[in-house]
Amino acid sequence: MYVQANIHGGEVEGKEALQALLRDLLFQEQYNVLDSIVVVAVPIYNADGNERLGPQERNRASQNGPPLIGQRANADSLDLNRDYVKAEAPETRASLAMFAAWEPDVFVDLHTTNGSYHGYALTYSPSLNPAALVTGPFTRDTLLPELRRRLRLIHRTEVFDYGNFVSQDSVDRGWFTYDHRPRFGTNYVGLRGRIGVLSEAYSHDPFARRVGATYAFVYELLSLVAENGDDILDLSNEAD
């Protein structure tokens, strides 16, 4: 299982939640998911964007803190989550080399939403690429519904399918999500026949609550992957 955060430098809670989760798992004395699965963790994918600190009001106007955050693009002004096919950025090429070497069965990408006001601490999505014929339905119909149920029961955290309102002043025009193109990381891994999961913490929540929701999401997802490891390996083999 591969988990990355901070592909957009200003979307900061993913890197904090992932590091905190790794710390807690490593220092637990009892058995945990690290005894069952291999976890590759990249808390800061966009290192240059992360370091280009500026006021939150300038770098991400619709986000509720913290006061100083990085920028969305990398040092070459490229959006790294639009680069998985053209592979123009060195970060992308290094990531594709990692995929070739490790072939992770599950890919998780931690983000923050961009504006819509809604009632959920976090929204999520499976890979939307139509080539994800085997892993897509399992992620959408089995993995994510159970994850949503556990977050509600165990953490009292409500989550929902990722998207935004078509118009902020009316719900009548609908709710839309991102498209199927594999330039997005979660869609790219679906094209490769692997499970992709997008996590989007709610940008208008306080920073600490966003970190907590992301922590709980990844924690429960790790547990589900560990519990369903044999089935997930079978899906990867079937996709191949």
Side-chain angles (χ1 to χ4, degrees), residues 2 4-11 15 42-52 70-81 84 89 91-92 109:
Y2 170 86
Q4 70 180 27
N6 216 224
I7 193 171
H8 294 145
E11 301 176 19
K15 64 180 179 181
V42 179
I44 299 177
Y45 182 96
N46 181 1
D48 292 331
N50 180 76
E51 296 305 309
R52 294 204 167 182
Q71 68 176 19
R72 180 181 179 89
N74 75 346
D76 293 323
S77 299
L78 295 171
D79 187 331
L80 296 176
N81 200 34
Y84 278 91
E91 295 94 336
T92 310
D109 199 8

Side-chain angles (χ1 to χ4, degrees), residues 145-206:
E146 176 60 18
L147 181 58
R148 180 179 183 179
R149 187 188 72 84
R150 293 188 185 190
L151 286 166
R152 174 183 292 148
L153 291 177
I154 299 171
H155 302 275
R156 299 294 187 265
T157 297
E158 291 292 338
V159 298
F160 190 66
D161 299 282
Y162 168 69
N164 288 283
F165 289 111
V166 175
S167 174
Q168 290 292 353
D169 59 6
S170 172
V171 300
D172 297 332
R173 294 183 61 190
W175 180 261
F176 70 98
T177 189
Y178 68 119
D179 64 68
H180 67 278
R181 286 174 291 176
R183 66 177 186 159
F184 302 101
T186 48
N187 287 342
Y188 173 79
V189 299
L191 182 64
R192 292 181 67 110
R194 296 297 182 265
I195 290 172
V197 176
L198 172 70
S199 165
E200 295 267 355
Y202 182 47
S203 62
H204 301 292
D205 268 345

Side-chain angles (χ1 to χ4, degrees), residues 1-3 21 33 37 106-110 124 138-139 143-144 146-147 150-151 155 195-199 214-228 232:
M1 181 168 170
Y2 170 86
V3 188
L21 180 55
V33 295
I37 57 177
V106 180
F107 168 91
V108 185
D109 199 8
L110 305 178
Y124 57 76
F138 172 81
T139 311
L143 196 65
L144 291 175
E146 176 60 18
L147 181 58
R150 293 188 185 190
L151 286 166
H155 302 275
I195 290 172
V197 176
L198 172 70
S199 165
T214 304
Y215 182 108
F217 184 87
V218 178
Y219 179 88
E220 295 300 339
L221 183 54
L222 282 166
S223 295
L224 274 170
V225 170
E227 292 168 27
N228 293 275
I232 290 171

Side-chain angles (χ1 to χ4, degrees), residues 112-126:
T112 315
T113 59
N114 284 323
S116 283
Y117 287 90
H118 55 70
Y120 299 96
L122 185 146
T123 50
Y124 57 76
S125 178

